[in-house]
Amino acid sequence: MTKVLVVDDNPDIAALMARTLKDQGYEVSVAGDGWSALEMASAQHPDVILLDVVMPVMNGIEVLRRFKGDAELRAIPVILVTVKNEDADIVAGLDAGAHDYVTKPFKKEILAARVRSAVHIKQNHDRLARISRQLRTEIVERQRVQHELARAQKLESIGHLAAGVAHEINTPSQYVGDNIRFLQEAFADFDTLLDKLDGLLEAARQGTLSDELFAEAEAAVGKADIGYLTEEVPKAIEQSLEGIQRVADIVRAMKEFAHPGDGCKQATDLNQAIQSTLMLSRNEWKYVAELATEFAADLPLVPCLRGDFNQVILNLVINATQAIAMVVGDGSAGKGALTVTTRRHGDWAEIRIRDTGAGIREDIREKVFDPFFTTKKVGEGTGQGLAIAHSIVVAKHGGRIWFETEVGRGTTFIVRLPITDQAAGNEAGRFKTAEVVC
Ligand SMILES: Nc1ncnc2c1ncn2[C@@H]1O[C@H](COP(=O)(O)OP(=O)(O)OP(=O)(O)O)[C@@H](O)[C@H]1O
Ligand SMILES: [Mg+2]
């Protein structure tokens, strides 16, 4: 039932108003002064308040100000009902936040009509507040689901990359193993040679040198093939060190990629982060694309959620690779080109990922960032890559992501991240490098 609170220090007028409103089907309470009005409004949350202005202790305008200053009561429409009928009084009442103004003596029908209008407004307000609450809950839920999806996609890509990474680690491991076996054999020959040379020195010291000893030493020198070894051993060592460094780089990149992050932006070298992701995903693109990179040396550190940023680059690189594969197949008859560049553009760090793939058809260009929009076969894509990239770039970093495309020639995805928090519209101030921003 719709509740109305009547506030008037004159019991007869209060009773008259109460009767009039009860006849209209409202549930009516009566307060005789400002303090009781405040207490009763807080306890009952009426839909409309009829408020006398001239009252002892606290006048109606003051009571009204207190209602409007209380977040819980602010939305209740207040109709001032008063003998004060000067224009200035009406203006002051409305300025103080009154919904309406009725002068005494009032006509019952007019009072009832004004209350009806106020109730209508209050009901609309309540409906809007309910919808807004629902929307807020839905937004929070949607953000939670998006977060979960992003996490799931990341885990999935880690699983997927793992096979390629294993392969990438296997290659250097194999040639490091081969080199170590070569060094082992070379060392065995050196060992024999050193023995013979040792014998020769000892014999020289003793004065017992013989042709036989010379022949043995010469044979050992020949077997060891010193010229070949002095050329090949340093190469084998260098190559092995490179291989070990490569494995270490891949493991570091994988650790960095898989790291869940602590939700804080960190000053990030985007060039290095992109390089790591390209290295991790090498097995995905290397059969179908020649990679070219051009990283701007003057790109400053950018406040960035590293794990999320890596995910964006991976999603774009995988898309580019899949688009190229649509044109070149397995790459055996020629590869496409994958070009990744970075540059500073004013207050933005810009990353471009260009492919010579099939391009994006005009009729689907509007949809590619929609969650679950995909043109790929089941098992090849779920349509989440660009939706996740968009939410990471735009919602989490205040950046921009878009593409330029030409059917039959290829596509370039462009990501811009703000170099400072200020550029991202964050009033918190400038991001200082090497600082963590949470
Ligand atoms: N570089 C590109 N070239 C051509 N088409 C693209 C490119 N990137 C995206 N698309 C189109 O946009 C669609 C949506 O891409 P998105 O990355 O969101 O999903 P997906 O790649 O289909 O699946 P997922 O990324 O979840 O594995 C793709 O199915 C494809 O049609
Ligand atoms: Mg994708």
Side-chain angles (χ1 to χ4, degrees):
M1 204 186 215
T2 307
K3 291 185 277 184
V4 181
L5 174 64
V6 171
V7 188
D8 204 304
D9 62 326
N10 182 326
D12 294 338
I13 296 181
L16 175 64
M17 283 196 278
R19 219 171 24 255
T20 307
L21 295 171
K22 275 183 190 156
D23 288 348
Q24 299 289 319
Y26 299 118
E27 184 184 322
V28 184
S29 314
V30 175
D33 59 68
W35 289 114
S36 333
L38 288 166
E39 263 171 37
M40 287 171 75
S42 294
Q44 298 173 0
H45 283 265
D47 295 289
V48 177
I49 298 170
L50 296 182
L51 180 61
D52 185 16
V53 173
V54 185
M55 290 192 294
V57 188
M58 195 193 303
N59 71 40
I61 299 294
E62 178 55 26
V63 179
L64 176 60
R65 281 207 189 91
R66 292 185 186 223
F67 279 144
K68 295 298 159 189
D70 183 329
E72 294 264 301
L73 306 177
R74 190 172 298 151
I76 303 172
V78 175
I79 302 174
L80 293 175
V81 186
T82 176
V83 285
K84 296 182 83 171
N85 58 4
E86 297 290 320
D87 285 352
D89 297 329
I90 298 175
V91 169
L94 293 175
D95 278 352
H99 165 74
D100 204 348
Y101 204 98
V102 175
T103 49
K104 292 176 186 169
F106 53 81
K107 285 198 179 116
K108 287 182 188 173
E109 321 74 82
I110 300 282
L111 185 76
R114 295 271 168 92
V115 170
R116 255 197 317 277
S117 147
V119 165
H120 188 63
I121 283 179
K122 175 66 169 29
Q123 282 169 345
N124 278 344
H125 171 275
D126 288 352
R127 198 162 35 242
L128 280 178
R130 221 172 19 252
I131 292 170
S132 145
R133 264 197 310 277
Q134 272 167 2
L135 279 177
R136 260 202 301 276
T137 316
E138 272 167 35
I139 288 169
V140 169
E141 177 59 11
R142 203 187 152 113
Q143 280 170 341
R144 195 189 62 75
V145 171
Q146 264 179 354
H147 185 73
E148 284 300 310
L149 277 177
R151 229 173 74 86
Q153 208 228 10
K154 185 167 178 188
L155 288 176
E156 192 202 310
S157 41
I158 289 168
H160 186 75
L161 286 182
V165 166
H167 185 79
E168 289 299 310
I169 287 181
N170 211 21
T171 311
S173 305
Q174 260 169 9
Y175 66 70
V176 167
D178 290 346
N179 284 344
I180 289 176
R181 267 185 295 280
F182 164 70
L183 291 171
Q184 192 181 34
E185 282 164 24
F187 184 75
D189 291 343
F190 263 123
D191 209 25
T192 317
L193 176 62
L194 285 175
D195 262 359
K196 298 293 172 201
L197 292 178
D198 227 17
L200 209 58
L201 279 175
E202 186 58 25
R205 226 176 279 127
Q206 309 269 340
T208 55
L209 279 174
S210 67
D211 287 348
E212 198 189 339
L213 279 175
F214 271 120
E216 275 180 16
E218 264 170 4
V221 169
K223 186 161 184 282
D225 197 351
I226 301 293
Y228 174 74
L229 288 186
T230 44
E231 209 171 289
E232 291 303 317
V233 166
K235 277 196 214 158
I237 292 174
E238 197 177 322
Q239 203 185 40
S240 301
L241 288 174
E242 268 172 25
I244 292 295
Q245 184 58 49
R246 184 155 179 74
V247 171
D249 286 347
I250 294 173
V251 170
R252 185 185 43 73
M254 191 70 182
K255 260 169 78 179
E256 206 178 281
F257 189 88
H259 195 278
D262 54 5
C264 294
K265 286 184 185 154
Q266 288 179 315
T268 302
D269 179 343
L270 297 186
N271 292 341
Q272 199 204 325
I274 296 168
Q275 188 77 62
S276 291
T277 303
L278 288 171
M279 178 163 53
L280 279 186
S281 56
R282 187 164 175 271
N283 208 49
E284 305 290 321
W285 50 259
K286 70 177 179 188
Y287 299 107
V288 297
E290 296 292 353
L291 173 71
T293 56
E294 204 180 300
F295 293 143
D298 66 343
L299 202 65
L301 299 181
V302 173
C304 184
L305 298 163
R306 279 184 204 174
D308 284 349
F309 175 73
N310 291 337
Q311 186 72 27
V312 171
I313 300 300
L314 180 70
N315 290 354
L316 297 180
V317 166
I318 300 289
N319 279 350
T321 305
Q322 289 170 330
I324 292 172
M326 279 175 69
V327 176
V328 304
D330 63 4
S332 52
K335 296 183 189 178
L338 172 64
T339 312
V340 183
T341 57
T342 61
R343 67 169 182 146
R344 184 178 181 152
H345 183 84
D347 277 348
W348 302 87
E350 183 180 281
I351 302 120
R352 286 177 171 256
I353 298 181
R354 180 149 60 90
D355 64 64
T356 52
I360 302 177
R361 286 195 334 253
E362 197 159 356
D363 60 317
I364 63 163
R365 286 179 195 164
E366 294 264 288
K367 301 182 201 152
V368 293
F369 287 106
D370 292 352
F372 303 109
F373 175 81
T374 184
T375 53
K376 292 167 193 170
K377 288 191 284 248
V378 176
E380 239 181 57
T382 55
Q384 294 180 77
L386 287 179
I388 287 169
H390 189 275
S391 103
I392 291 173
V393 171
V394 179
K396 293 191 179 176
H397 289 85
R400 286 189 61 201
I401 178 168
W402 74 101
F403 60 85
E404 291 160 3
T405 188
E406 204 178 324
V407 174
R409 293 187 71 91
T411 305
T412 304
F413 270 85
I414 302 125
V415 172
R416 277 196 192 155
L417 294 186
I419 286 169
T420 59
D421 265 11
Q422 236 171 20
N426 184 345
E427 290 302 316
R430 268 187 105 70
F431 174 84
K432 296 181 202 78
T433 51
E435 197 175 279
V436 169
V437 176
C438 286

Short mmCIF file of all heavy atoms in Angstrom, two decimals, residues 343-389:
data_model
loop_
_atom_site.label_atom_id
_atom_site.label_comp_id
_atom_site.label_asym_id
_atom_site.label_seq_id
_atom_site.Cartn_x
_atom_site.Cartn_y
_atom_site.Cartn_z
N ARG A 343 55.85 1.79 -32.13
CA ARG A 343 56.32 3.17 -32.25
C ARG A 343 55.61 4.02 -31.21
O ARG A 343 54.59 3.62 -30.64
CB ARG A 343 56.06 3.74 -33.64
CG ARG A 343 54.60 3.92 -33.95
CD ARG A 343 54.42 4.72 -35.22
NE ARG A 343 53.02 4.92 -35.49
CZ ARG A 343 52.49 6.00 -36.04
NH1 ARG A 343 53.24 7.00 -36.39
NH2 ARG A 343 51.20 6.10 -36.25
N ARG A 344 56.20 5.16 -30.97
CA ARG A 344 55.56 6.11 -30.06
C ARG A 344 54.72 7.05 -30.90
O ARG A 344 55.18 7.55 -31.92
CB ARG A 344 56.62 6.88 -29.28
CG ARG A 344 55.98 7.78 -28.29
CD ARG A 344 56.97 8.54 -27.45
NE ARG A 344 56.19 9.35 -26.53
CZ ARG A 344 56.58 9.74 -25.35
NH1 ARG A 344 57.76 9.39 -24.91
NH2 ARG A 344 55.79 10.47 -24.58
N HIS A 345 53.49 7.27 -30.46
CA HIS A 345 52.62 8.18 -31.19
C HIS A 345 52.06 9.16 -30.16
O HIS A 345 51.08 8.88 -29.48
CB HIS A 345 51.50 7.38 -31.87
CG HIS A 345 50.58 8.21 -32.69
ND1 HIS A 345 50.84 8.57 -33.98
CD2 HIS A 345 49.39 8.81 -32.38
CE1 HIS A 345 49.87 9.32 -34.44
NE2 HIS A 345 48.97 9.48 -33.47
N GLY A 346 52.71 10.29 -29.98
CA GLY A 346 52.30 11.26 -28.95
C GLY A 346 52.35 10.61 -27.58
O GLY A 346 53.37 10.07 -27.18
N ASP A 347 51.20 10.63 -26.90
CA ASP A 347 51.12 10.05 -25.56
C ASP A 347 50.81 8.56 -25.59
O ASP A 347 50.46 7.98 -24.57
CB ASP A 347 50.02 10.76 -24.76
CG ASP A 347 50.54 12.04 -24.16
OD1 ASP A 347 51.76 12.24 -24.17
OD2 ASP A 347 49.71 12.85 -23.69
N TRP A 348 50.91 7.96 -26.77
CA TRP A 348 50.51 6.57 -26.90
C TRP A 348 51.67 5.70 -27.37
O TRP A 348 52.51 6.15 -28.15
CB TRP A 348 49.39 6.42 -27.93
CG TRP A 348 48.18 7.23 -27.63
CD1 TRP A 348 47.96 8.52 -27.99
CD2 TRP A 348 47.02 6.81 -26.90
NE1 TRP A 348 46.74 8.94 -27.52
CE2 TRP A 348 46.14 7.91 -26.85
CE3 TRP A 348 46.65 5.62 -26.29
CZ2 TRP A 348 44.91 7.85 -26.21
CZ3 TRP A 348 45.43 5.57 -25.66
CH2 TRP A 348 44.57 6.66 -25.63
N ALA A 349 51.66 4.45 -26.90
CA ALA A 349 52.56 3.45 -27.47
C ALA A 349 51.71 2.66 -28.46
O ALA A 349 50.62 2.20 -28.12
CB ALA A 349 53.08 2.53 -26.38
N GLU A 350 52.21 2.55 -29.68
CA GLU A 350 51.40 1.91 -30.72
C GLU A 350 52.05 0.61 -31.18
O GLU A 350 53.25 0.57 -31.44
CB GLU A 350 51.23 2.87 -31.89
CG GLU A 350 50.35 2.30 -32.99
CD GLU A 350 50.21 3.28 -34.13
OE1 GLU A 350 49.42 4.23 -34.01
OE2 GLU A 350 50.89 3.08 -35.15
N ILE A 351 51.23 -0.42 -31.28
CA ILE A 351 51.72 -1.72 -31.76
C ILE A 351 50.89 -2.07 -32.99
O ILE A 351 49.65 -1.96 -32.96
CB ILE A 351 51.51 -2.82 -30.69
CG1 ILE A 351 52.24 -2.43 -29.41
CG2 ILE A 351 51.97 -4.18 -31.19
CD1 ILE A 351 51.35 -2.30 -28.24
N ARG A 352 51.58 -2.47 -34.04
CA ARG A 352 50.86 -2.88 -35.26
C ARG A 352 51.23 -4.32 -35.59
O ARG A 352 52.42 -4.66 -35.61
CB ARG A 352 51.25 -1.99 -36.45
CG ARG A 352 50.65 -0.65 -36.36
CD ARG A 352 51.07 0.27 -37.48
NE ARG A 352 50.24 1.47 -37.39
CZ ARG A 352 49.23 1.75 -38.19
NH1 ARG A 352 48.95 0.96 -39.20
NH2 ARG A 352 48.50 2.83 -38.02
N ILE A 353 50.21 -5.13 -35.84
CA ILE A 353 50.45 -6.53 -36.21
C ILE A 353 49.81 -6.73 -37.59
O ILE A 353 48.58 -6.69 -37.72
CB ILE A 353 49.87 -7.48 -35.15
CG1 ILE A 353 50.61 -7.21 -33.83
CG2 ILE A 353 50.00 -8.94 -35.58
CD1 ILE A 353 50.20 -8.05 -32.68
N ARG A 354 50.68 -6.85 -38.57
CA ARG A 354 50.18 -6.88 -39.96
C ARG A 354 50.35 -8.29 -40.53
O ARG A 354 51.38 -8.94 -40.29
CB ARG A 354 50.99 -5.89 -40.79
CG ARG A 354 50.57 -5.83 -42.25
CD ARG A 354 50.81 -4.44 -42.81
NE ARG A 354 52.22 -4.07 -42.71
CZ ARG A 354 53.12 -4.31 -43.66
NH1 ARG A 354 52.77 -4.92 -44.77
NH2 ARG A 354 54.37 -3.93 -43.50
N ASP A 355 49.31 -8.74 -41.24
CA ASP A 355 49.44 -10.05 -41.90
C ASP A 355 49.08 -9.92 -43.36
O ASP A 355 48.40 -8.97 -43.76
CB ASP A 355 48.55 -11.09 -41.19
CG ASP A 355 47.06 -10.76 -41.31
OD1 ASP A 355 46.53 -10.76 -42.44
OD2 ASP A 355 46.42 -10.51 -40.27
N THR A 356 49.56 -10.89 -44.13
CA THR A 356 49.18 -10.92 -45.54
C THR A 356 48.14 -12.03 -45.73
O THR A 356 48.23 -12.84 -46.65
CB THR A 356 50.41 -11.18 -46.43
OG1 THR A 356 51.07 -12.36 -45.93
CG2 THR A 356 51.38 -10.03 -46.41
N GLY A 357 47.19 -12.05 -44.79
CA GLY A 357 46.14 -13.08 -44.83
C GLY A 357 45.01 -12.69 -45.76
O GLY A 357 45.15 -11.81 -46.61
N ALA A 358 43.86 -13.34 -45.52
CA ALA A 358 42.74 -13.20 -46.45
C ALA A 358 42.00 -11.87 -46.28
O ALA A 358 41.18 -11.52 -47.12
CB ALA A 358 41.77 -14.36 -46.23
N GLY A 359 42.27 -11.14 -45.19
CA GLY A 359 41.52 -9.91 -44.94
C GLY A 359 40.19 -10.23 -44.25
O GLY A 359 39.82 -11.41 -44.13
N ILE A 360 39.49 -9.18 -43.82
CA ILE A 360 38.21 -9.40 -43.12
C ILE A 360 37.09 -8.89 -44.02
O ILE A 360 37.09 -7.73 -44.43
CB ILE A 360 38.18 -8.66 -41.77
CG1 ILE A 360 39.36 -9.14 -40.89
CG2 ILE A 360 36.86 -8.90 -41.04
CD1 ILE A 360 39.48 -8.44 -39.56
N ARG A 361 36.16 -9.79 -44.32
CA ARG A 361 35.05 -9.43 -45.23
C ARG A 361 34.25 -8.27 -44.66
O ARG A 361 34.07 -8.17 -43.44
CB ARG A 361 34.11 -10.63 -45.39
CG ARG A 361 34.64 -11.74 -46.25
CD ARG A 361 33.50 -12.70 -46.63
NE ARG A 361 32.39 -12.73 -45.70
CZ ARG A 361 32.12 -13.73 -44.86
NH1 ARG A 361 32.91 -14.79 -44.82
NH2 ARG A 361 31.07 -13.68 -44.06
N GLU A 362 33.74 -7.44 -45.57
CA GLU A 362 33.05 -6.23 -45.12
C GLU A 362 31.85 -6.55 -44.22
O GLU A 362 31.62 -5.88 -43.22
CB GLU A 362 32.60 -5.43 -46.35
CG GLU A 362 32.26 -4.03 -45.96
CD GLU A 362 32.30 -3.07 -47.13
OE1 GLU A 362 32.67 -3.49 -48.25
OE2 GLU A 362 31.94 -1.90 -46.90
N ASP A 363 31.12 -7.62 -44.56
CA ASP A 363 29.88 -7.91 -43.82
C ASP A 363 30.13 -8.40 -42.39
O ASP A 363 29.19 -8.47 -41.61
CB ASP A 363 29.01 -8.92 -44.58
CG ASP A 363 29.73 -10.23 -44.80
OD1 ASP A 363 30.93 -10.18 -45.15
OD2 ASP A 363 29.13 -11.30 -44.60
N ILE A 364 31.38 -8.74 -42.05
CA ILE A 364 31.60 -9.19 -40.67
C ILE A 364 32.48 -8.22 -39.86
O ILE A 364 32.75 -8.45 -38.70
CB ILE A 364 32.20 -10.62 -40.61
CG1 ILE A 364 33.60 -10.64 -41.26
CG2 ILE A 364 31.29 -11.65 -41.22
CD1 ILE A 364 34.39 -11.87 -40.86
N ARG A 365 32.90 -7.13 -40.49
CA ARG A 365 33.85 -6.23 -39.82
C ARG A 365 33.30 -5.66 -38.51
O ARG A 365 34.02 -5.46 -37.56
CB ARG A 365 34.24 -5.07 -40.75
CG ARG A 365 35.18 -5.55 -41.81
CD ARG A 365 35.60 -4.47 -42.78
NE ARG A 365 36.20 -5.12 -43.94
CZ ARG A 365 36.42 -4.54 -45.11
NH1 ARG A 365 36.10 -3.28 -45.28
NH2 ARG A 365 36.96 -5.22 -46.10
N GLU A 366 31.96 -5.43 -38.49
CA GLU A 366 31.33 -4.86 -37.29
C GLU A 366 31.33 -5.85 -36.14
O GLU A 366 31.19 -5.46 -35.00
CB GLU A 366 29.87 -4.54 -37.60
CG GLU A 366 29.68 -3.45 -38.60
CD GLU A 366 29.45 -2.12 -37.91
OE1 GLU A 366 28.38 -1.94 -37.36
OE2 GLU A 366 30.39 -1.28 -37.93
N LYS A 367 31.46 -7.15 -36.48
CA LYS A 367 31.18 -8.15 -35.45
C LYS A 367 32.43 -8.77 -34.83
O LYS A 367 32.33 -9.50 -33.85
CB LYS A 367 30.36 -9.30 -36.06
CG LYS A 367 29.07 -8.86 -36.65
CD LYS A 367 28.32 -10.08 -37.19
CE LYS A 367 27.29 -9.66 -38.22
NZ LYS A 367 27.02 -10.67 -39.21
N VAL A 368 33.61 -8.52 -35.43
CA VAL A 368 34.76 -9.34 -35.02
C VAL A 368 35.13 -9.19 -33.55
O VAL A 368 35.69 -10.12 -32.96
CB VAL A 368 36.01 -9.09 -35.89
CG1 VAL A 368 35.80 -9.58 -37.30
CG2 VAL A 368 36.44 -7.64 -35.86
N PHE A 369 34.77 -8.05 -32.93
CA PHE A 369 35.10 -7.88 -31.51
C PHE A 369 33.99 -8.45 -30.60
O PHE A 369 34.12 -8.42 -29.38
CB PHE A 369 35.33 -6.40 -31.17
CG PHE A 369 36.63 -5.87 -31.71
CD1 PHE A 369 36.65 -5.02 -32.80
CD2 PHE A 369 37.84 -6.23 -31.13
CE1 PHE A 369 37.85 -4.52 -33.30
CE2 PHE A 369 39.04 -5.75 -31.62
CZ PHE A 369 39.05 -4.89 -32.71
N ASP A 370 32.87 -8.91 -31.21
CA ASP A 370 31.79 -9.46 -30.38
C ASP A 370 32.23 -10.77 -29.74
O ASP A 370 32.85 -11.61 -30.41
CB ASP A 370 30.53 -9.74 -31.23
CG ASP A 370 29.90 -8.46 -31.74
OD1 ASP A 370 30.34 -7.39 -31.30
OD2 ASP A 370 28.99 -8.55 -32.58
N PRO A 371 31.86 -10.97 -28.46
CA PRO A 371 32.20 -12.24 -27.83
C PRO A 371 31.56 -13.40 -28.61
O PRO A 371 30.40 -13.30 -29.02
CB PRO A 371 31.60 -12.15 -26.42
CG PRO A 371 31.33 -10.70 -26.20
CD PRO A 371 31.15 -10.07 -27.55
N PHE A 372 32.31 -14.42 -28.82
CA PHE A 372 31.87 -15.67 -29.46
C PHE A 372 31.58 -15.53 -30.95
O PHE A 372 31.02 -16.43 -31.55
CB PHE A 372 30.67 -16.30 -28.73
CG PHE A 372 30.98 -16.56 -27.28
CD1 PHE A 372 30.38 -15.81 -26.28
CD2 PHE A 372 31.91 -17.52 -26.92
CE1 PHE A 372 30.70 -16.01 -24.95
CE2 PHE A 372 32.24 -17.72 -25.59
CZ PHE A 372 31.63 -16.97 -24.61
N PHE A 373 31.95 -14.40 -31.55
CA PHE A 373 31.81 -14.34 -33.00
C PHE A 373 33.05 -14.98 -33.63
O PHE A 373 34.18 -14.58 -33.37
CB PHE A 373 31.68 -12.90 -33.51
CG PHE A 373 31.68 -12.86 -35.01
CD1 PHE A 373 30.52 -13.14 -35.72
CD2 PHE A 373 32.86 -12.63 -35.72
CE1 PHE A 373 30.53 -13.17 -37.12
CE2 PHE A 373 32.87 -12.65 -37.12
CZ PHE A 373 31.70 -12.93 -37.81
N THR A 374 32.81 -15.98 -34.44
CA THR A 374 33.94 -16.64 -35.11
C THR A 374 33.53 -17.10 -36.50
O THR A 374 32.36 -17.37 -36.74
CB THR A 374 34.44 -17.85 -34.28
OG1 THR A 374 35.58 -18.39 -34.92
CG2 THR A 374 33.39 -18.94 -34.13
N THR A 375 34.51 -17.16 -37.39
CA THR A 375 34.24 -17.73 -38.71
C THR A 375 35.03 -19.03 -38.84
O THR A 375 35.11 -19.59 -39.92
CB THR A 375 34.71 -16.76 -39.81
OG1 THR A 375 36.07 -16.42 -39.57
CG2 THR A 375 33.86 -15.51 -39.86
N LYS A 376 35.60 -19.46 -37.71
CA LYS A 376 36.46 -20.65 -37.78
C LYS A 376 35.71 -21.91 -37.44
O LYS A 376 34.66 -21.86 -36.79
CB LYS A 376 37.67 -20.45 -36.85
CG LYS A 376 38.57 -19.35 -37.39
CD LYS A 376 39.59 -18.88 -36.42
CE LYS A 376 40.18 -17.57 -36.96
NZ LYS A 376 41.01 -16.89 -36.00
N LYS A 377 36.30 -23.02 -37.85
CA LYS A 377 35.65 -24.31 -37.60
C LYS A 377 35.70 -24.62 -36.11
O LYS A 377 36.57 -24.11 -35.39
CB LYS A 377 36.41 -25.41 -38.35
CG LYS A 377 36.19 -25.36 -39.86
CD LYS A 377 36.72 -26.61 -40.50
CE LYS A 377 38.20 -26.61 -40.60
NZ LYS A 377 39.01 -26.54 -41.64
N VAL A 378 34.77 -25.49 -35.68
CA VAL A 378 34.79 -25.92 -34.28
C VAL A 378 36.17 -26.51 -34.00
O VAL A 378 36.70 -27.29 -34.80
CB VAL A 378 33.69 -26.98 -34.02
CG1 VAL A 378 33.77 -27.51 -32.59
CG2 VAL A 378 32.33 -26.38 -34.30
N GLY A 379 36.75 -26.12 -32.90
CA GLY A 379 38.07 -26.64 -32.55
C GLY A 379 39.18 -25.68 -32.95
O GLY A 379 40.28 -25.73 -32.42
N GLU A 380 38.87 -24.80 -33.92
CA GLU A 380 39.91 -23.86 -34.38
C GLU A 380 39.77 -22.51 -33.70
O GLU A 380 40.74 -21.79 -33.52
CB GLU A 380 39.78 -23.66 -35.89
CG GLU A 380 41.03 -24.05 -36.64
CD GLU A 380 40.87 -23.81 -38.13
OE1 GLU A 380 40.58 -22.68 -38.52
OE2 GLU A 380 41.01 -24.79 -38.88
N GLY A 381 38.53 -22.17 -33.34
CA GLY A 381 38.31 -20.87 -32.70
C GLY A 381 36.97 -20.84 -32.00
O GLY A 381 36.01 -21.49 -32.43
N THR A 382 36.92 -20.07 -30.90
CA THR A 382 35.66 -19.95 -30.17
C THR A 382 35.13 -18.53 -30.23
O THR A 382 34.11 -18.20 -29.63
CB THR A 382 35.85 -20.36 -28.69
OG1 THR A 382 36.91 -19.56 -28.16
CG2 THR A 382 36.17 -21.82 -28.55
N GLY A 383 35.89 -17.65 -30.88
CA GLY A 383 35.42 -16.27 -31.03
C GLY A 383 35.64 -15.41 -29.80
O GLY A 383 34.95 -14.41 -29.61
N GLN A 384 36.59 -15.78 -28.96
CA GLN A 384 36.82 -14.99 -27.75
C GLN A 384 38.04 -14.09 -27.85
O GLN A 384 38.19 -13.13 -27.09
CB GLN A 384 37.03 -15.91 -26.56
CG GLN A 384 35.82 -16.72 -26.20
CD GLN A 384 36.15 -17.60 -25.02
OE1 GLN A 384 36.20 -17.14 -23.90
NE2 GLN A 384 36.41 -18.86 -25.28
N GLY A 385 38.96 -14.45 -28.77
CA GLY A 385 40.26 -13.77 -28.81
C GLY A 385 40.16 -12.25 -28.87
O GLY A 385 40.77 -11.55 -28.06
N LEU A 386 39.38 -11.73 -29.82
CA LEU A 386 39.32 -10.27 -29.98
C LEU A 386 38.47 -9.61 -28.90
O LEU A 386 38.76 -8.49 -28.49
CB LEU A 386 38.78 -9.92 -31.37
CG LEU A 386 39.75 -10.18 -32.52
CD1 LEU A 386 39.10 -9.82 -33.85
CD2 LEU A 386 41.04 -9.38 -32.35
N ALA A 387 37.43 -10.32 -28.43
CA ALA A 387 36.61 -9.74 -27.35
C ALA A 387 37.48 -9.55 -26.11
O ALA A 387 37.42 -8.51 -25.44
CB ALA A 387 35.42 -10.66 -27.05
N ILE A 388 38.30 -10.54 -25.82
CA ILE A 388 39.18 -10.44 -24.65
C ILE A 388 40.23 -9.36 -24.87
O ILE A 388 40.49 -8.54 -23.99
CB ILE A 388 39.81 -11.82 -24.36
CG1 ILE A 388 38.73 -12.73 -23.76
CG2 ILE A 388 41.01 -11.71 -23.42
CD1 ILE A 388 39.10 -14.18 -23.65
N ALA A 389 40.80 -9.34 -26.08
CA ALA A 389 41.81 -8.31 -26.38
C ALA A 389 41.19 -6.92 -26.21
O ALA A 389 41.80 -6.02 -25.62
CB ALA A 389 42.34 -8.49 -27.80
#
